[in-house]
Amino acid sequence: MTIVGIICEYNPFHRGHRKQFSEIRQRFGADAAIVCLMSGNYVQRGAPAVFDREVRARAAMFCGADLVLELPVTASLSSAEGFASAGVAILSPLCDCLCFGTESGNSDALMRTAQALLCPGFSEQLRQRLATGVSFPAARQQALEALGVPGTLLEQPNDILATEYCKAILAQGSSLLPFPVTRRGSYHAETPDAENPSATALRRCIASGTDWLGFVPPEAAPCFESAPVHTLAAGERAILARLRTMTDREFEALPYGSEGLWRRLMHASREESCLEDILTRVKTKRYTRS
């Protein structure tokens, strides 16, 4: 029996996720076990998951997952690199393969890109490009190209995360075998595709009160029908209150606050009236919102 791991958010679980389960069992057999390592009540970029972790885990189990584990919140709120690294470290002793979605579906290209990101010369190439004032994503692509590796795989969101999974597997000497599946449809689509909806589009539907359960596998739909919906807006006043009472030292101690980002956040938190304006003010040409 093959045990396949998936690092996920299921925010919310939809037809595309069910398709991934089907592809795993088509590839590894009906007896393949699927272990999902899922973000808890908070997901990347700091927002609360639209539904509670128990609701999302139950939906995954009803649709074929054999085990759902919780990814620690420190990893869920981390960068793509930290998210992938923690997930690989947790699943490596448990699973044989790691399955993830990509736009390219090219396992060899993903591994070559990951190897280049880990090579000794990459950091210096990246530093040189950042010194020219370009954004971090652009600098990373240019640094790869300087090493003779196409940077095109770092243009799409699923390919970026897939590369980080491969990089973590290599860096940790993990025995996990990567199993990429092609991600159909647009990750950032504002309206859900009938067969390949994006979680972003479904969250928009939920927020606007538009019917969305038709994009969910029928086994999972009952999990969501009466479940409370959680939004960042509901907790905005509490977040603003915390930010406005933090000391300079507390801002300085925040992770990822190098190169003056913590100071930008501190000033914006004390002067702007809402979270959206704070985020807009903190972003820079080098460190974008994405």
Side-chain angles (χ1 to χ4, degrees):
M1 180 180 70
T2 302
I3 303 175
V4 182
I6 302 174
I7 304 168
C8 54
E9 291 186 328
Y10 296 153
N11 189 31
F13 192 94
H14 56 65
R15 287 183 184 174
H17 300 128
R18 174 64 179 271
K19 275 187 181 179
Q20 185 182 21
F21 288 3
S22 298
E23 290 192 47
I24 288 171
R25 294 204 161 102
Q26 286 173 10
R27 170 65 178 81
F28 297 105
D31 65 342
I34 297 175
V35 176
C36 301
L37 182 60
M38 187 188 78
S39 295
N41 287 336
Y42 291 89
V43 295
Q44 280 196 304
R45 297 180 179 86
V50 68
F51 292 108
D52 187 87
R53 60 190 175 185
E54 284 85 0
V55 172
R56 288 151 46 232
R58 193 178 305 120
M61 296 288 288
F62 284 174
C63 290
D66 294 285
L67 177 66
V68 180
L69 304 174
E70 183 175 351
L71 183 68
V73 69
T74 50
S76 295
L77 299 181
S78 187
S79 62
E81 181 180 31
F83 181 88
S85 179
V88 167
I90 292 169
L91 290 180
S92 290
L94 305 174
C95 302
D96 304 302
C97 302
L98 179 66
C99 182
F100 46 83
T102 78
E103 286 85 5
S104 66
N106 191 328
S107 182
D108 291 340
L110 290 168
M111 291 300 285
R112 285 196 300 271
T113 303
Q115 288 169 340
L117 292 171
L118 290 169
C119 80
F122 174 76
S123 295
E124 177 57 25
Q125 292 290 345
L126 179 65
R127 186 191 65 77
Q128 291 176 16
R129 271 66 189 177
L130 287 172
T132 68
V134 301
S135 69
F136 179 81
R140 185 168 56 174
Q141 282 187 268
Q142 292 174 16
L144 282 175
E145 289 163 0
L147 296 172
V149 178
T152 52
L153 274 182
L154 298 183
E155 293 177 350
Q156 298 295 327
N158 287 284
D159 277 340
I160 291 171
L161 190 53
T163 301
E164 291 296 344
Y165 290 141
C166 291
K167 191 174 79 171
I169 288 171
L170 292 171
Q172 297 175 24
S174 170
S175 61
L176 286 174
L177 297 176
F179 175 48
V181 295
T182 303
R183 169 67 165 84
R184 309 290 182 185
S186 172
Y187 181 84
H188 293 301
E190 294 189 5
T191 56
D193 178 89
E195 293 302 319
N196 301 286
S198 73
T200 300
L202 294 186
R203 290 195 296 274
R204 287 178 182 271
C205 290
I206 294 167
S208 65
T210 306
D211 179 56
W212 67 282
L213 287 175
F215 301 100
V216 170
E219 301 93 331
C223 299
F224 301 117
E225 286 175 346
S226 58
V229 174
H230 304 288
T231 66
L232 185 62
E236 182 171 27
R237 291 182 64 186
I239 296 169
L240 290 172
R242 178 67 184 109
L243 288 171
R244 289 167 182 164
T245 55
M246 287 175 62
T247 65
D248 293 19
R249 183 168 293 181
E250 286 174 319
F251 276 106
E252 188 176 7
L254 291 174
Y256 309 110
S258 61
E259 299 189 24
L261 280 178
W262 71 267
R263 197 179 300 276
R264 291 176 66 90
L265 175 60
M266 179 181 69
H267 291 308
S269 298
R270 294 171 180 175
E271 296 169 11
E272 301 297 339
S273 61
C274 65
L275 288 176
E276 182 62 28
D277 289 347
I278 290 172
L279 294 172
T280 298
R281 182 166 164 184
V282 171
K283 74 178 182 68
T284 66
K285 183 177 180 181
R286 178 179 294 186
Y287 298 108
T288 62
R289 283 284 292 271
S290 60

